[in-house]
Amino acid sequence: MTSDSKLSKRLSRRKFLVTSGVVGAAGLAGCNSQSDGDGSDGDGDGSGDGSSDGGSQNEGSSGGGGSETSLLNAEGSSTVYPISNKGSSYWNSNAPPSDGEYWGANDEGSVPGWDEIDTDMLIADYFASQFGFEATDQRSDPPFQTTVGLSHSGTGCEAVVDGLVDIGNSSGPITAELDWSEQRAQETVVDNVVGRDGQPVVVSSDVSDAGVSQLTGDQIRAIYQGEVDNWSDLDGVDYDQEIYVIGRAEGSGTDTSFRLNMLGDADAPMEVDTRQGQNQQVAQLVSQNQGAIAYMALAFTSDQVQPIGIDFDGTLYEPDPDAENTIFDSDYPLNRNLHMYTLVEDSNPNGGGLDRREAAFLSMFLTEFGQVTFVEDNNYIPLPTSDLEEMKSKVNELKP
C-alpha cells in the first residue's frame, strides 16, 4: 500500500469518458460485453457500453459541489472483477432502503452492516451525497453510472495511467505489473486496496481423489520450474499421472503475484503446459483435465477445482478458515492485496488521487456492508480494521 502522506507530485492526465445517450441494460447491471470472460487473450479494451472516442474532462471534475456526473469506468483484473462488478451492479440499481436483500432493511431482515448506515436514502444516492452529488431519488438512476470491463491487471494498470479509465483493477502491485519503482507509483497513482485474496493452488478432482491434499512450497516450485512432470515423482504421492501445469497469462496480476510470492521474482522463469487469460478459463481447464494443477483466485474454486494445503518451511496453511493456519490468514505467503488504482490529479482540492466520483464509489466498498457484500461474499478476505481505516481516510479527504 502507498503511504497516507501527501503525494509529492500531481499529474492530470485523466481523460473522462462521457456517456452518449442512455446507458444500455448491460451497463445498468454493471456489466459489459466481456462479463462472461470470453476471449483467451484478455486483450479486450474493457471500456464497456457508453464510452466515447477520445474522452475529455467535463467541467466540475475537480469538485465544485458534485457537478461531475460522467460515466465512471473501471477495467482490469479478472480477480478483482467479481468485487468491482458486483459493486457496480448494486450502484447502478440505486435500490431503496426498503429492499432489505440488496440494500436497507425490511420485515425479513437487513443487509450486513445496516446498523452502521441506517439511512432513508437509496444506495448510490447515499454514498454519492457524502461527496457533494445530488440524490436522484430514483431506482436504477444513480447520480452517475458505473461500468466495469474485464481484461488483465497489467491492462488495467496501463489503462488508468493512460487516462483511458477512471479505475484500474489489479490483483498485483502496479510496481510489478509495469516494472515501476515505488516512488514512481506513489507519484502517479493512488493504491486503493479493497480486499485481499488468499491466492490458492488448486488441483483437479482426480489428483485430490488420489490423496493429494497438500504439497510443500518446494514441491510446487519444482512443478512450475519443470523439475518434475509426473505426480508420482513427488515424495509421498502415489499417483502415476502426468502433471498438467496451468498458468495464468503473463501480465495478469495472478501470474505476477504467484511468481513474486512463490518463485521470488515477478519475472522468474516458469514452465507450463498452457496459459489462460482469465480465472474462469483456468478453473474450466482444471475441471476438464486429469493431473491438473493451477494457481488462481479464491473466488473461482469449487468441488472440481479444489485448493490444497501448502507447507511453507514447516507451517501448513490449509484451505479451511477454521484451521490453525489457513490460506485466509494475512501471513499466508501467497496472500495478496486487491487494488483499484486511480490516477493522481493535481486539480483535487485536498490532494490525493481521486475525483469525487471515484471517492464516492470506492467509499461503498470501505464499509462493513461493502466488505461483507462485495469482498467476503465473493470468497475473498475483508481488510483488517487498520487497513480499512487507512483506505477510508484517503476517500474521506474528498468529502466537501
Side-chain angles (χ1 to χ4, degrees):
M1 296 179 205
T2 59
S3 169
D4 280 336
S5 62
K6 296 293 185 182
L7 300 177
S8 61
K9 183 179 179 181
R10 314 276 193 249
L11 302 178
S12 55
R13 299 169 59 187
R14 186 184 315 282
K15 301 174 183 176
F16 288 124
L17 300 181
V18 184
T19 63
S20 55
V22 180
V23 177
L28 291 174
C31 304
N32 59 29
S33 60
Q34 291 180 302
S35 62
D36 292 331
D38 295 333
S40 59
D41 60 5
D43 289 333
D45 61 18
S47 58
D49 296 328
S51 63
S52 61
D53 295 333
S56 59
Q57 183 171 322
N58 285 359
E59 293 181 4
S61 63
S62 63
S67 59
E68 172 58 79
T69 56
S70 62
L71 174 72
L72 181 143
N73 55 1
E75 181 193 353
S77 166
S78 66
T79 299
V80 183
Y81 181 82
I83 297 173
S84 184
N85 190 61
K86 187 176 181 181
S88 177
S89 177
Y90 274 54
W91 182 278
N92 291 337
S93 74
N94 207 20
S98 59
D99 188 299
E101 182 178 359
Y102 299 101
W103 175 248
N106 57 25
D107 292 340
E108 287 74 38
S110 62
V111 296
W114 184 246
D115 291 342
E116 175 189 272
I117 299 170
D118 193 17
T119 178
D120 59 359
M121 301 183 72
L122 284 67
I123 181 171
D125 284 353
Y126 170 74
F127 290 103
S129 68
Q130 297 180 53
F131 294 86
F133 291 90
E134 183 177 350
T136 68
D137 298 319
Q138 297 292 321
R139 179 190 283 271
S140 300
D141 184 20
F144 55 86
Q145 295 283 344
T146 63
T147 187
V148 180
L150 180 62
S151 56
H152 290 310
S153 292
T155 305
C157 290
E158 290 174 352
V160 73
V161 170
D162 291 341
L164 301 176
V165 297
D166 301 297
I167 296 174
N169 293 332
S170 180
S171 59
I174 197 170
T175 50
E177 293 299 328
L178 301 184
D179 194 23
W180 280 7
S181 67
E182 194 66 42
Q183 179 180 353
R184 182 177 181 182
Q186 292 183 3
E187 292 175 347
T188 308
V189 294
V190 166
D191 184 4
N192 305 289
V193 177
V194 296
R196 288 181 173 171
D197 177 28
Q199 185 181 44
V201 171
V202 299
V203 296
S204 51
S205 57
D206 65 298
V207 177
S208 178
D209 292 344
V212 180
S213 60
Q214 65 183 69
L215 294 172
T216 67
D218 288 339
Q219 287 174 321
I220 294 171
R221 281 187 282 270
I223 290 172
Y224 275 94
Q225 292 177 330
E227 297 173 8
V228 294
D229 56 17
N230 193 295
W231 286 101
S232 62
D233 294 336
L234 300 173
D235 289 342
V237 177
D238 184 19
Y239 185 42
D240 185 13
Q241 172 67 45
E242 288 188 4
I243 305 174
Y244 185 55
V245 186
I246 302 170
R248 281 293 308 278
E250 296 181 352
S252 74
T254 300
D255 182 66
T256 300
S257 295
F258 181 78
R259 295 195 204 207
L260 189 64
N261 294 328
M262 178 61 80
L263 304 181
D265 191 302
D267 297 316
M270 292 172 58
E271 292 191 20
V272 299
D273 293 304
T274 185
R275 289 188 178 274
Q276 295 296 313
Q278 310 297 345
N279 282 293
Q280 298 94 322
Q281 296 164 335
V282 171
Q284 184 176 15
L285 272 184
V286 174
S287 67
Q288 294 177 343
N289 288 274
Q290 290 191 327
I293 187 171
Y295 50 93
M296 58 190 301
L298 267 171
F300 300 89
T301 59
S302 67
D303 290 341
Q304 290 74 42
V305 184
Q306 300 185 35
I308 58 172
I310 307 179
D311 185 328
F312 287 99
D313 300 323
T315 299
L316 175 63
Y317 294 90
E318 302 179 70
D320 177 359
D322 297 323
E324 180 180 358
N325 299 291
T326 88
I327 66 174
F328 298 91
D329 290 341
S330 58
D331 58 351
Y332 169 55
L334 300 187
N335 185 287
R336 56 182 175 158
N337 287 330
L338 302 178
H339 315 263
M340 294 173 70
Y341 286 106
T342 52
L343 189 64
V344 170
E345 296 274 353
D346 60 4
S347 57
N348 286 347
N350 297 313
L354 303 164
D355 70 20
R356 293 192 187 279
R357 296 168 311 138
E358 296 161 354
F361 183 61
L362 286 166
S363 71
M364 182 176 64
F365 299 90
L366 303 177
T367 61
E368 181 185 350
F369 160 72
Q371 289 290 290
V372 173
T373 303
F374 307 125
V375 179
E376 191 171 16
D377 284 358
N378 274 311
N379 209 21
Y380 292 126
I381 306 167
L383 293 175
T385 300
S386 59
D387 291 353
L388 186 61
E389 292 304 316
E390 179 185 351
M391 293 300 108
K392 283 182 180 180
S393 68
K394 292 181 181 180
V395 300
N396 287 343
E397 287 184 349
L398 269 289
K399 286 185 176 180

